[in-house]
Amino acid sequence: MRNSDRDELDDLIDGALPGYSDASPIEGLEERVLCRIQSAGPPRRLAWPLRIAFAVPALAVLVLAVAVPRSWWNPLPPIVTPSPIHAALTAPVFKLQPPVPRRIHPSRALPKQPCSRPPSQ
């Protein structure tokens, strides 16, 4: 930012900053933090059942990795798609069946109502 771009807000901020740097921390804050750290004691360790819960699946993965035959690890051979001519020769042939004739029921005509409009001339 160039000095020519400064505005009133920049001057207010610059005037307030020296007052903040002179502030000292609240009395006793450091002592309270240190007392809380000391009263917490040493960090708790994971209980042995939780360790076993992580170790058993890891051991099972290792056993399976050793026990699975190497043939399962090899990549599968590439899939060969037949050419369109070969596919047309081996494609099953479907016979078309003639359509089933539908019975058409004659509809009944509804009664006509008399017209209230005079006939057009």
Side-chain angles (χ1 to χ4, degrees):
M1 172 185 279
R2 289 181 266 143
N3 286 337
S4 62
D5 293 340
R6 296 178 61 84
D7 58 1
E8 186 179 345
L9 179 63
D10 291 325
D11 294 333
L12 287 173
I13 292 173
D14 288 341
L17 286 177
Y20 286 114
S21 64
D22 293 339
S24 60
I26 301 172
E27 276 189 44
L29 177 66
E30 183 178 354
E31 292 173 15
R32 288 190 304 228
V33 170
L34 290 175
C35 285
R36 179 165 293 197
I37 292 172
Q38 290 172 354
S39 68
R44 291 180 28 184
R45 297 187 180 262
L46 289 176
W48 64 269
L50 190 56
R51 290 180 185 173
I52 290 176
F54 286 114
V56 168
L59 183 64
V61 168
L62 287 174
V63 168
L64 284 176
V66 172
V68 170
R70 297 279 183 207
S71 62
W72 285 13
W73 291 17
N74 294 336
L76 296 175
I79 298 173
V80 179
T81 57
S83 65
I85 296 172
H86 185 271
L89 293 175
T90 60
V93 178
F94 296 103
K95 293 182 180 179
L96 295 176
Q97 296 180 353
V100 177
R102 293 184 348 174
R103 293 184 183 176
I104 300 174
H105 299 287
S107 62
R108 291 184 277 164
L110 296 174
K112 295 184 179 181
Q113 297 180 356
C115 186
S116 63
R117 190 169 19 139
S120 60
Q121 295 177 359

